[in-house]
Amino acid sequence: MASCVQYRLIIRDVNTLQILQLYTCLDQIQYIEWSSDSLFILCAMYKRGIVQVWSLEQPDWHCKIDEGSAGLVASCWSPDGRHILNTTEFHLRITVWSLCTKSVSYIKYPKACQQGIAFTKDGRYMALAERRDCKDFISLFVCSDWQLLRHFDTETQDLFGIEWAPNGCVLAVWDTCLEYKILLYSLDGRLLSTYRAYEWSLGIKSIAWSPSSQFLAIGSYDEKVRILNHVTWKKITEFEHPATITNPKTIVYKEVEKSPSVETERLSFPRRALASSLFSTQSKYDISQVPVSLQYVKPIADRANPKIGIGMLAFSPDNCFLATKNDNIPNAVWIWDIQKLKLFVVLEQLGAIQSFQWDPRQPRLAICTGNSKVYLWSPAGCVSVQVPMEGDFQILSLCWHSSGDSVALLILREN
């Protein structure tokens, strides 16, 4: 596990948390990323335009990439773990650096958008969004030699993002939120389908492919999720997110606070701070009887990026469930049964949802709400877990280990 503190990179053993390596970079680290085989790790220092690469097998070996006056705004590994792609300031070009041959390749006209680079899951191909002559284009590259495979224009006004299906056969391309449009292209650049749900209103906010590539979920500003199938690319259903749950078959778990049953003063803890953390206000889930009214926040209409619509959505690894969050009902997570295409569970939290992520091995969802607890849901039920740490802190985000045996938490300590 890698973490950084200012200019230091710390590598720990996941099981024991023992420090294995400690590296010192030239400046404050702003981004870190493992290579696909976990043999190398890159540290990007955007302010200095520098990337440093460290080897775990050979601690004395290191690599420094300096983009110079071109600057640096993004850096990532290629799927083979031996090439680094650096995006220069103003998105003038992408520089491909080879760690093996020390060769350099350049790709011009990358588009400045939220998600402009996408690799297929098998690592064979890369799709790149481009902008030239006031038009959007997609270039497909072969990752083994960075040769251009296909180049085609897209029917978008202002392309916002691209994402491959997990099987690598279809590329989803979606437009700016000002126009509802998603386009699906094959590997040879053919337009398979175009989907538009409505016009003259804010459009797509988020998308997610199912792990099987059979479904594409599209989250929109109209507080709905639309599911497209992989055969006809037509909508098979849409999931609404109303503020009142009325279906008696939907289970609504409501987080409620409960006072600790043990008096802290009677405990002989060596450190009172740890005791106060362990036995602070705890919470549990109650099952609410429908109808249930969820906390609804009315968005401010005259501001940019309104807090409305489906901002987060993710499929479970077994394709059975879809978790969603409607940004103007910030305290709720909606879990949908994909086999029955129905709402299965709603979790109503006391705080706003900061992050959620599925266990990569089973249908188990971890949730954090910016407090000191982690919430876990599975088809068997849900539980609130107090993290045993001293002092006041907030859990801002979380990440599962690939085995599903542990979760890393990003914590903000309060003074």
Side-chain angles (χ1 to χ4, degrees), residues 33 61 75 77 87 108 118 159 191 268 277 280 282 304 313 338 386 394:
E33 184 181 325
W61 180 95
S75 184
W77 286 101
T87 305
K108 294 195 296 182
L159 187 152
L191 178 60
S268 56
S277 171
S280 60
Q282 299 177 18
L313 70 172
I338 294 301
Q386 173 70 44
Q394 298 176 356

Side-chain angles (χ1 to χ4, degrees), residues 2 9 11 23 32-43 52-59 61-63 77 80-84 99-100:
L9 176 68
I11 310 296
Y23 301 105
I32 58 175
E33 184 181 325
W34 287 100
S35 63
S36 55
D37 55 9
S38 299
L39 296 180
F40 298 93
I41 186 166
L42 72 78
C43 303
Q52 286 186 270
V53 186
W54 306 95
S55 168
L56 267 69
E57 285 189 329
Q58 305 172 42
W61 180 95
H62 72 277
C63 165
W77 286 101
D80 67 358
R82 296 299 178 268
H83 294 82
I84 291 173
L99 297 187
C100 300

Side-chain angles (χ1 to χ4, degrees), residues 163 166 207-218 225-228 236 239 312-324 335-339 341 356-360 362-365:
E163 188 169 331
I207 79 155
W209 286 98
S210 69
S212 65
S213 304
Q214 291 175 295
F215 302 111
L216 177 60
I218 307 169
V225 173
R226 292 165 176 85
I227 307 290
L228 307 187
I236 55 173
F239 297 144
M312 298 167 62
L313 70 172
F315 281 94
S316 62
D318 61 357
N319 292 285
C320 290
F321 300 102
L322 173 69
T324 62
I335 299 173
W336 307 83
D337 187 326
I338 294 301
Q339 292 174 324
L341 298 177
F356 60 67
Q357 190 177 41
W358 288 101
D359 181 332
Q362 58 178 302
R364 179 170 53 170
L365 188 70

